[in-house]
Amino acid sequence: MLDLYHAEPAANSLKVLLAIKEKGVPFTSHFVNLHEFQQHEPWFVKINPNGQVPALVHDGKVITESTVINEYLDEAFEGPLLRPVDPYGRARMRIWTKFVDEYFTPALSFIAWHHMIRNITDKLTPEELEAKIARIPLKEQQDKWRTSARQGYTREQLEEWGRQVRVSIQRMEKELAETPWLAGAAFSLADVSSFAITAGMPRVSPNLVNAKDTPHLMDWHGRMSARPGVQAALAMPNPVRETMEAGRSKMASILS
Ligand SMILES: N[C@@H](CCC(=O)N[C@@H](CS)C(=O)NCC(=O)O)C(=O)O
């Protein structure tokens, strides 16, 4: 029995959907609607005490943290190998997944929240919003919801995160100019992690990711997008697409 609790195919949820579809492992999908704060409901916090998606439940055992879930999926199930076999290749893969988790994703995430969260929270009264925030298990996430919903982040903060996103894109471009996939000769979880947050960038941030400035990244993006596993992950239902799109256009200004 394999159950995956995830949100729309974006960011950390997309990361795990990509791996599970590439691997071809059958699973039961449970959509957790972040726009309705379902991730903070008691039934879900019992599964992941952090109140965040994705979460995998395998024969009753819970695995959280998207990068750990992906390594677990690759280790525990049959199917194409998603990690290089040699120790150096595997280390290179982990350097990428760590970089994506610790540097690239946080920078992009703060920018996204600043532009998108009010599309979710504006329908609530201040009292309703505080009641929702009070249920969030992590103090850091409480602060992120509250700041994004109210005054937002400062121009200096947004510009610094924008700089970090540009550094991340340049790092990908440099690597992909040297090797076809991010961890070397073969597709791996390094590509999965990186694609999960750059999937929409050629469309949303064409000033940053385009054929002239980042030709190798664009070529990689085309090869990634052509993979059946990637297409299957991106085709997962997305009931919140409209709200997301409304925020995405606003993000483009800081990411150029
Ligand atoms: N380190 C965690 C982060 C998970 C995470 O940030 N999930 C986001 C969605 S991409 C979430 O659940 N956000 C809603 C919230 O924090 O309230 C992982 O990699 O799985």
Side-chain angles (χ1 to χ4, degrees):
M1 284 263 292
L2 192 64
D3 293 271
L4 179 62
Y5 295 81
H6 62 91
E8 65 276 6
N12 292 308
S13 289
L14 177 59
K15 193 198 287 183
V16 172
L17 289 167
L18 288 167
I20 209 163
K21 291 289 187 183
E22 281 284 334
K23 201 79 191 157
V25 180
F27 68 102
T28 304
S29 156
H30 302 270
F31 184 79
V32 179
N33 194 330
L34 306 183
H35 294 211
E36 289 174 7
F37 304 87
Q38 287 177 351
Q39 73 278 23
H40 308 136
E41 287 177 10
W43 69 269
F44 185 71
V45 173
K46 262 193 213 147
I47 296 171
N48 182 0
N50 284 348
Q52 290 188 311
V53 290
L56 187 75
V57 184
H58 183 202
D59 293 337
K61 292 166 295 202
V62 176
I63 301 114
T64 59
E65 291 299 328
S66 53
T67 299
V68 177
I69 294 173
N70 280 359
E71 292 212 28
Y72 179 84
L73 285 169
D74 202 35
E75 272 170 1
F77 294 94
E78 302 286 318
L81 201 61
L82 304 181
R83 293 163 304 150
V85 280
D86 63 301
Y88 180 60
R90 202 161 281 193
R92 279 181 71 183
M93 177 203 87
R94 291 209 175 101
I95 289 167
W96 270 105
T97 56
K98 197 170 164 63
F99 173 73
V100 168
D101 286 344
E102 294 178 1
Y103 187 86
F104 195 173
T105 301
L108 195 59
S109 171
F110 278 112
I111 296 171
W113 278 55
H114 175 87
H115 290 295
M116 290 190 188
I117 285 301
R118 268 168 275 185
N119 291 329
I120 303 174
T121 55
D122 274 359
K123 57 182 185 236
L124 302 174
T125 64
E127 294 73 31
E128 286 169 338
L129 177 63
E130 269 313 307
K132 297 280 187 206
I133 289 175
R135 296 190 317 180
I136 301 175
L138 299 178
K139 161 85 170 58
E140 298 78 6
Q141 287 305 106
Q142 289 194 353
D143 294 344
K144 198 170 171 185
W145 272 100
R146 195 176 281 117
T147 307
S148 306
R150 289 185 185 164
Q151 74 275 22
Y153 292 98
T154 64
R155 169 142 294 278
E156 289 72 28
Q157 285 173 306
L158 291 168
E159 279 173 3
E160 171 55 16
W161 290 320
R163 186 193 67 79
Q164 291 176 10
V165 170
R166 285 193 292 279
V167 166
S168 305
I169 292 294
Q170 282 156 13
R171 183 166 164 174
M172 285 181 72
E173 174 63 18
K174 188 164 178 288
E175 187 80 62
L176 290 164
E178 284 162 26
T179 56
W181 302 99
L182 285 168
F187 167 84
S188 78
L189 292 179
D191 303 290
V192 166
S193 277
S194 307
F195 189 79
I197 52 167
T198 53
M201 279 200 164
R203 188 171 61 84
V204 179
S205 308
N207 293 339
L208 186 60
V209 179
N210 58 60
K212 184 173 139 295
D213 299 317
T214 57
H216 299 95
L217 199 163
M218 286 298 286
D219 178 70
W220 168 85
H221 192 280
R223 284 181 283 120
M224 286 294 293
S225 303
R227 297 177 73 91
V230 171
Q231 289 175 1
L234 289 171
M236 289 296 286
N238 186 354
V240 297
R241 191 185 303 274
E242 265 181 38
T243 323
M244 283 176 69
E245 286 300 326
R248 270 189 172 145
S249 53
K250 294 187 209 149
M251 278 175 71
S253 60
I254 201 86
L255 294 178
S256 57

